Amino acid sequence: MLTALPTDTRLGELWPDIWQATGETLLMVALTMLIGGTLGLILGLGLYLTRKGGLYENAVVSFVLNVLVNFFRPIPFIIFIAAVQPAARLIVGTGIGTPAVVFSLVLAAMFGIARIVEQNLVTVPPGVIEAARAMGATRARIAATVVVPEAMAPVILGYTFAFVAVVDMSAVAGLIAGGGLGSFAQTFGYRQYDPAVTWVCVLILVALVQVIQLLGNTLSARILRR
């Protein structure tokens, strides 16, 4: 015999907890984009600079970096979290909770962002690089003052895409009690049969993504107009 779903909701009394979960999500995403974004930029530059025809062409280094990125990038995040739990325990001291989730998010974001950076850097016209070389610029100066600025607009859009993916992954991380809106929606929405709580969490995540996407698009457009 089927039982009726409850029609009441605890949404009113849960608002303080919802804002706390929102803060946890923002903290996880911000730390991930700061650390993982920086490491991903470095790794992406390494992929671009050491590839065939690159400023620092090196077949061995390029092969190793590509194997590393291609090994980790395709792993679904829910499996990735479980796979890196031993490393999380070793480095941050725990396999669950926000620190472990941030550790997993940083690693996952780093490899994804690295490929995004590389793909955007290769769009820089070779003629621009050759012109800089003809003027006597060093390889390091070309990379820092020509390649990166030329690709800045699409790179920003790429980071915006990565931000959205990290928000998505942070919600999935709630499955291992990582905190944030994903964990909150699962605990107080799904498990308590309270769709109002679930949908409030969904709408907050959607609003967050919309704001970041708008900022990314605006900043990218301004750079393109320069």
Side-chain angles (χ1 to χ4, degrees), residues 19-224:
W19 294 126
Q20 179 180 346
T22 302
E24 291 172 353
T25 293
L26 290 173
L27 177 62
M28 287 190 291
V29 174
L31 287 175
T32 299
M33 292 304 297
L34 177 63
I35 303 172
T38 301
L39 295 175
L41 176 62
I42 295 171
L43 185 55
L45 279 168
L47 287 166
Y48 170 77
L49 295 173
T50 60
R51 63 187 287 136
K52 186 176 181 180
L55 293 170
Y56 292 89
E57 182 178 345
N58 188 310
V60 175
V61 174
S62 180
F63 175 79
V64 171
L65 292 180
N66 274 284
V67 168
L68 185 66
V69 172
N70 291 336
F71 179 83
F72 287 102
R73 200 165 65 99
I75 303 176
F77 186 65
I78 191 65
I79 299 175
F80 188 83
I81 294 177
V84 301
Q85 267 191 336
R89 290 192 188 98
L90 181 64
I91 295 175
V92 301
T94 179
I96 61 174
T98 301
V101 169
V102 171
F103 176 79
S104 303
L105 286 169
V106 165
L107 289 181
M110 176 179 70
F111 295 115
I113 289 173
R115 193 60 79 185
I116 290 173
V117 169
E118 181 205 15
Q119 290 172 349
N120 284 300
L121 292 179
V122 297
T123 63
V124 177
V128 175
I129 298 174
E130 290 302 321
R133 275 178 167 167
M135 289 187 293
T138 63
R139 292 180 296 179
R141 186 170 183 180
I142 293 172
T145 64
V146 177
V147 175
V148 173
E150 282 288 326
M152 186 60 69
V155 165
I156 288 174
L157 291 178
Y159 269 78
T160 304
F161 173 81
F163 181 96
V164 175
V166 169
V167 170
D168 177 47
M169 291 189 294
S170 72
V172 173
L175 294 175
I176 64 163
L181 287 169
S183 176
F184 190 89
Q186 181 193 33
T187 302
F188 296 98
Y190 177 74
R191 290 180 180 174
Q192 300 296 322
Y193 299 102
D194 196 335
V197 172
T198 302
W199 274 103
V200 165
C201 293
V202 169
L203 291 175
I204 292 174
L205 289 171
V206 170
L208 175 62
V209 168
Q210 292 295 330
V211 169
I212 294 301
Q213 187 69 59
L214 177 62
L215 291 175
N217 290 345
T218 302
L219 183 57
S220 178
R222 287 185 178 180
I223 291 175
L224 283 173

